[in-house]
Amino acid sequence: MKDIVGIVLAAGEGTRMKSDIPKVLHKICGKPMLKYMLDLLGRLQIDKNIVIVGHQSDKVKTIFKNKTVKTVTQPRLLGSGDAVWQARKSLFNFKGNVLIVYGDTPLVTYKSLSNLIQAHRANQAACTILTAQTKNPTGFGRIIRSEDNRIVRIIEEQDADPIEKAIGEINVGVYCFKASELFPALEEIKPNNAKKEYYLTDAIKVLTSRKAKVESVSAEDEHEAVGVNSRLELSRANEIINKRHIEELMQNGITIVSPATTFISTEAEIGRDTVIEPHTIIEGEVRIGASCHIGPFARIRSGSILQDRASIGNFVEIVRSKIGAGSKVKHHSYIGDAILGKGVNIGAGTITANYDGKNKNRTVIEDGAFVGVGSILIAPVKIGKGAVTGAGSVVTKNKNVPAGKTVVGIPARVLKKKSRGRKVIGHKS
Ligand code: UD1
Ligand code: CA
């Protein structure tokens, strides 16, 4: 979209979070809050996006690594109106529309943004606002309408009288403005309100007093308006986004036995007919194939790949590892920085000792290997194709187990067959 520029406000301090981390970097379902809006703007194919940064801007900028966004710094946090004002130089001579969103409203949907843009264009409005009806409008700007139902202005919570406070239609915090109307209106706003801030919302009354056309679009569901200003709202947003994501996964053919106790990162990909048992946590970027079985009580962490029909059981943690097709890790195990081939069986209580105090090292377990219960595999190490480790063995660093061999003991040694077929350990036979 060439005729629209996106502006994301992310300069605020987020005082109510009581945090040393900038508010917009707090994670929701494993993803920094601000990224939800950036991803939506990306999906809308808006070519130019400006993020207004201010409080701890260096930290906030770290999440734009791979994104083509421009950042503009708001020197003093004088309010949302002042934040947008900072973008005027970057939009000098721009004649199109400006989509303004806040970095702390991660529940806004793609559908609502595209409805808003479409209506804004169709109506040729000076401004179109996304609004929502809610039973609990506390904390939001309320939409004030005239008798003939036209938007007159937005009144902020702190400045509202009891009658205005009773209004259930609220400002979600998403707006589409004609650039040519926006900046002249911002020039007029004053910080004569309870917070002594330049409110972006005051641009609306400037426009309506000039008889400019201000329209609105309703958000699909009232949850979209949830702004994250406190830890309580953060946990609510987490719950809602997780629930939405789980429902989407179910629609795609994944069984999730207990949505309320299951947590799945929005960056996880899961194949059909996979079954996820209760109390399972899937974090960050994870790829799970078809017909896998996970949980109950499993934790799959970022950087993991589970191929088709892999089976991960209770109290198993997998991180930065690949589990080959049909492989099983069923009970009480830690698999970190490991590559498992196909048809591998990992016995209960197996640990990959991947960290030596300095480096994380790799464990490779090849196709069809059988790792006995309670094995400790000290990385870097390789268990060859079809090899076996005995119960309780400790396979030490670089003592790779050759394909087809069996090792046992501490440290694990290769079992050699005696002439009469009895097995013994190591070289003593
Ligand atoms: C704002 C709206 C309110 C709306 C609600 C929806 C205003 C004046 N009010 O209230 O009508 O119902 O969002 O969630 O806009 N920011 C800056 N620089 C500043 C101040 C704020 O960049 O100087 C950014 C913040 O980082 C945040 C956004 O603007 O992303 C909104 O600021 P916030 O203080 O959270 O406003 P609310 O009180 O939630
Ligand atoms: Ca807010």
Side-chain angles (χ1 to χ4, degrees):
M1 286 187 194
K2 291 247 181 292
D3 66 322
I4 295 189
V5 168
I7 297 182
V8 187
L9 303 194
E13 203 178 325
T15 348
R16 288 166 276 177
M17 292 294 282
K18 301 203 170 76
S19 175
D20 296 331
I21 303 163
K23 176 168 81 172
V24 290
L25 296 191
H26 279 264
K27 288 185 176 170
I28 298 175
C29 293
K31 182 159 109 176
M33 196 188 308
L34 178 57
K35 245 181 135 253
Y36 283 88
M37 262 311 167
L38 295 175
D39 288 351
L40 280 188
L41 298 176
R43 273 180 70 194
L44 286 165
Q45 298 184 317
I46 294 179
D47 297 318
K48 182 172 175 178
N49 291 301
I50 301 170
V51 182
I52 312 294
V53 292
H55 178 69
Q56 296 197 28
S57 57
D58 288 345
K59 280 194 194 158
V60 175
K61 283 180 190 171
T62 56
I63 70 161
F64 308 133
K65 275 184 300 232
N66 309 318
K67 300 240 171 208
T68 48
V69 296
K70 182 180 166 60
T71 52
V72 170
T73 305
Q74 183 185 15
R76 288 192 298 149
L77 305 180
L78 301 178
S80 53
D82 177 71
V84 176
W85 181 244
Q86 305 306 318
R88 73 196 180 284
K89 286 185 193 139
S90 316
L91 295 174
F92 187 69
N93 265 342
F94 175 65
K95 300 274 181 281
N97 294 306
V98 183
L99 177 69
I100 302 173
V101 296
Y102 296 162
D104 68 349
T105 55
L107 289 147
V108 168
T109 60
Y110 174 83
K111 186 97 197 312
S112 286
L113 289 188
S114 51
N115 286 349
L116 183 87
I117 293 169
Q118 210 181 0
H120 181 74
R121 282 184 181 139
N123 293 324
Q124 296 272 306
C127 173
T128 310
I129 307 167
L130 186 67
T131 75
Q133 282 292 341
T134 174
K135 286 187 204 79
N136 183 13
T138 310
F140 291 99
R142 315 293 207 280
I143 308 292
I144 311 289
R145 290 184 183 265
S146 61
E147 276 175 8
D148 60 351
N149 209 32
R150 304 212 64 82
I151 291 178
V152 179
R153 62 195 170 100
I154 298 175
I155 184 92
E156 291 303 307
E157 169 88 20
Q158 290 86 346
D159 306 298
D161 63 31
I163 294 170
E164 290 164 335
K165 278 189 181 152
I167 295 171
E169 189 185 15
I170 54 154
N171 172 27
V172 174
V174 175
Y175 324 74
C176 208
F177 281 92
K178 273 187 187 156
S180 58
E181 303 271 4
L182 171 65
F183 294 106
L186 287 178
E187 234 173 324
E188 302 279 308
I189 64 174
K190 302 206 166 45
N192 51 2
N193 49 54
K195 284 170 94 182
K196 308 253 176 298
E197 286 186 358
Y198 291 88
Y199 291 158
L200 171 61
T201 43
D202 280 350
I204 307 304
K205 69 178 178 208
V206 176
L207 291 178
T208 54
S209 68
R210 291 177 183 170
K211 305 267 181 290
K213 199 171 183 188
V214 175
E215 298 286 340
S216 68
V217 161
S218 305
E220 300 270 307
D221 79 88
E222 72 165 278
H223 289 144
E224 290 196 49
V226 172
V228 179
N229 303 298
S230 64
R231 306 275 178 164
L232 194 71
E233 285 163 342
L234 183 73
S235 83
R236 252 194 99 202
N238 238 303
E239 231 171 73
I240 298 165
I241 290 181
N242 188 44
K243 187 164 174 271
R244 272 188 194 167
H245 182 51
I246 282 182
E247 283 171 10
E248 194 183 301
L249 291 170
M250 293 197 281
Q251 272 158 15
N252 291 339
I254 292 126
T255 296
I256 294 163
V257 176
S258 163
T261 68
T262 303
F263 180 84
I264 302 177
S265 145
T266 51
E267 292 178 307
E269 277 173 37
I270 308 181
R272 62 192 280 163
D273 284 326
T274 283
V275 175
I276 299 178
E277 301 281 2
H279 298 281
T280 291
I281 297 172
I282 297 173
E283 303 170 351
E285 286 177 36
V286 163
R287 277 209 329 263
I288 297 172
S291 302
C292 292
H293 195 272
I294 303 171
F297 295 98
R299 181 178 180 207
I300 317 288
R301 293 172 55 198
S302 204
S304 298
I305 298 174
L306 272 55
Q307 291 183 326
D308 297 350
R309 299 179 316 286
S311 185
I312 308 299
N314 48 286
F315 306 109
V316 171
E317 175 178 344
I318 312 264
V319 63
R320 298 179 302 273
S321 294
K322 181 174 149 193
I323 311 295
S327 289
K328 292 178 183 159
V329 191
K330 300 285 280 184
H331 329 269
H332 299 265
S333 285
Y334 170 72
I335 305 293
D337 301 291
I339 297 185
L340 275 60
K342 290 182 220 138
V344 168
N345 187 83
I346 302 288
T350 293
I351 304 289
T352 55
N354 58 334
Y355 185 51
D356 59 14
K358 277 198 192 125
N359 299 309
K360 302 250 168 80
N361 301 305
R362 171 135 291 174
T363 301
V364 176
I365 306 175
E366 292 185 337
D367 295 353
F370 187 93
V371 176
V373 295
S375 292
I376 296 179
L377 312 177
I378 302 175
V381 75
K382 182 165 118 183
I383 313 294
K385 203 168 174 176
V388 175
T389 71
S393 39
V394 176
V395 183
T396 46
K397 205 160 141 180
N398 292 317
K399 296 283 183 207
N400 296 343
V401 180
K405 297 288 183 194
T406 297
V407 295
V408 297
I410 305 174
R413 299 211 187 110
V414 175
L415 259 188
K416 287 200 173 152
K417 277 196 179 150
K418 258 193 160 182
S419 46
R420 273 187 241 139
R422 227 168 16 106
K423 287 187 170 183
V424 296
I425 299 170
H427 311 285
K428 289 179 189 159
S429 56

